[in-house]
Amino acid sequence: MNPIIFQKLEKMNKHCNACVKAYALLTLLSLVTFFIYFFNHFTLDVLFTDPNALFPAIKIEALALGIIHIVYCFFFKYVDKKLQIFGLDSNHLNEYIQRNQAFFQKY
């Protein structure tokens, strides 16, 4: 492995970290939006009298979280496929970079 490839791995690691942060932020934003909608539109009377009132909101929330999770999984499958060439995976990329950073900074 040469320093140019190591720089590409560092860049890929930054993309992975950004993806994890975006996933967490989008999930949190989706859940907060759901609870704001829930508390603004539903009361206990509505929930007890109409059992189907909450179903559309839950269905949309599940769909949003599912789409976010699918995109997240596909991104990491793509990254893992690119890292497979070097015998690495996205779970251990950060550790590999930290261990070998001193060696590649010499160049």
Side-chain angles (χ1 to χ4, degrees):
M1 181 176 297
N2 59 27
I4 295 171
I5 293 175
F6 190 77
Q7 287 175 348
K8 288 181 181 181
L9 289 177
E10 286 178 325
K11 188 176 180 182
M12 197 175 295
N13 189 37
K14 288 179 185 177
H15 290 304
C16 289
N17 291 338
C19 182
V20 169
K21 289 177 185 176
Y23 176 73
L25 183 67
L26 288 174
T27 301
L28 182 65
L29 183 65
S30 178
L31 290 172
V32 167
T33 304
F34 171 76
F35 284 115
I36 289 172
Y37 176 80
F38 176 82
F39 288 119
N40 283 335
H41 289 85
F42 298 107
T43 61
L44 288 177
D45 295 336
V46 171
L47 293 176
F48 286 129
T49 57
D50 188 9
N52 296 329
L54 192 57
F55 185 67
I58 291 174
K59 195 166 52 171
I60 290 172
E61 180 64 19
L63 180 67
L65 289 175
I67 290 170
I68 291 169
H69 185 72
I70 288 169
V71 169
Y72 177 79
C73 289
F74 279 136
F75 174 78
F76 276 101
K77 280 188 179 183
Y78 170 75
V79 169
D80 284 341
K81 192 169 198 115
K82 290 191 109 183
L83 290 174
Q84 192 176 20
I85 298 168
F86 306 110
L88 298 169
D89 64 353
S90 58
N91 295 329
H92 300 101
L93 181 60
N94 197 26
E95 296 169 16
Y96 178 79
I97 288 174
Q98 287 177 353
R99 273 188 283 142
N100 295 314
Q101 194 155 17
F103 176 73
F104 285 105
Q105 283 181 347
K106 291 178 186 177
Y107 292 104

